[in-house]
Structure formats: structure tokens, C-alpha cells
Amino acid sequence: MEMNTRLQVEHPITEMITNVDLVEWQLHIANNENLPLEQKDIKVDGHAFEARIYAENPRENFLPQTGKIQLFATSENARLDTGVASGDEISPFYDPMIAKLIVWGENRTEALENLAEALANTHVVGLQTNVSYLHAITQNKDFKQEKISTSLLEKHHKSLVKEAISKEDINIIAGI
């Protein structure tokens, strides 16, 4: 039997729908303390989405981008897990992930609306990102109707990229 003792990158989704801070629980375990709840006591509530914001260009096969983040701002109605801020540099030496944006809703439809709103209010100025591409996914008819498969992005790539031409381009053209 294999055991993975690290948190998965999607752990914010679990935290949002269970209201359990898994990082805090890891610290309890590391200190040989008991956990505050048993598995049977953990309840799932609602739906959550996580969107990973990357410095990459969806129109160029998601080619990683480098440069200074002149401005990074997002919705206050979302959880943001990040290690960067306005003024930081995205270098070629590390993964170009800027942040994870996590939202919750009573159901999938509400959570998806919250994700769309949070992405619409996320601004990264200074380099190309996938924010508009992610927002385009939230507007995709098949994604909204849960007609999801591993080929969804490939199937809709051209239309998603076309819809994604927006604020990143405006920011780059304006030199903001």
C-alpha cells in the first residue's frame, strides 16, 4: 500500500467544502496532537472551484512568460493562495504559477458564477497570463452544462483563445 503524506495541490477545494484547515491539521499531527474531528464528523457543504493563474500565453501553446508583475489584484470574494505580489518578478528558473484562486458556492452553478466573477476581477499587468483563458472556460457552454471530458480544452481551444483576447492584450498595448 502506498501512502502520500503531503497535501495535494487541490487541498483548498477540500478545505472550502469541509471548512477544515488541512495545513493546521498537519501541524497538529506533527506535534503528536489529536485531530479536532474524526472522519465521520466531517461534512461536505457546497461546491468549490480552483483556478490556477499562470504567467503563460494560451495563444502560443501556453508558452511560459517572464517579467515583472507591475500590478496584481483580484477579487476579495475569493481565496487567493499565492507567493507573489505586485512588483515581483517571474523568472525562467521557477514554475510560472502566480496563484491559485479558489471560490465556493452553495452548488456548482453558484460556484462557477463566483469563479467567473473572481476571474473577471483579477488583473495581472506586466506579462501575459491565462486569466482571460480561464474566464473563457467559465463561459463555455459544455463546461457550464457539465459536458466535460479530457478533450474539452482541445475541442474548444480556438474559441477559448479567441475569447481570451482581452485585458492582458490591452495592458500590454497600453504599457501598463
Side-chain angles (χ1 to χ4, degrees):
M1 178 187 293
E2 181 180 348
M3 181 174 165
N4 186 346
T5 57
R6 67 177 176 87
L7 283 177
Q8 296 301 302
V9 295
E10 302 86 4
H11 79 274
I13 296 293
T14 302
E15 292 181 343
M16 292 291 273
I17 63 172
T18 62
N19 202 30
V20 171
D21 185 334
L22 296 176
V23 175
E24 178 186 345
W25 281 32
Q26 279 193 318
L27 295 173
H28 286 299
I29 292 168
N31 286 320
N32 289 323
E33 298 171 7
N34 292 327
L35 294 177
L37 296 172
E38 292 184 17
Q39 182 71 44
K40 65 179 175 56
D41 299 322
I42 298 173
K43 306 295 183 228
V44 174
D45 181 32
H47 194 97
F49 281 103
E50 175 181 297
R52 294 185 189 189
I53 300 170
Y54 276 86
E56 62 185 11
N57 186 342
R59 284 169 288 163
E60 297 293 330
N61 201 26
F62 300 93
L63 183 68
Q65 304 293 294
T66 60
K68 185 176 182 178
I69 300 173
Q70 296 173 2
L71 171 73
F72 179 36
T74 192
S75 172
E76 293 181 8
N77 296 326
R79 171 177 166 174
L80 185 70
D81 289 2
T82 188
V84 301
S86 298
D88 287 348
E89 189 88 18
I90 301 296
S91 80
F93 305 111
Y94 300 98
D95 185 307
M97 186 165 72
I98 295 172
K100 292 189 289 186
L101 185 69
I102 306 99
V103 297
W104 178 89
E106 292 282 339
N107 53 51
R108 185 182 188 278
T109 301
E110 182 180 306
L112 187 56
E113 289 169 0
N114 292 341
L115 179 61
E117 180 183 339
L119 288 166
N121 290 307
T122 297
H123 308 281
V124 183
V125 178
L127 47 96
Q128 184 74 34
T129 71
N130 67 340
V131 172
S132 293
Y133 185 83
L134 295 170
H135 186 268
I137 292 170
T138 69
Q139 304 307 299
N140 178 271
K141 181 180 168 184
D142 285 349
F143 190 77
K144 282 183 170 184
Q145 295 176 355
E146 297 184 62
K147 295 179 183 175
I148 301 169
S149 72
T150 56
S151 64
L152 183 127
L153 296 180
E154 182 180 343
K155 177 181 173 185
H156 295 284
H157 182 71
K158 285 183 182 178
S159 65
L160 292 171
V161 167
K162 184 177 179 182
E163 289 180 45
I165 298 172
S166 68
K167 59 186 163 195
E168 284 89 0
D169 296 324
I170 292 167
N171 291 338
I172 290 168
I173 291 167
I176 297 174

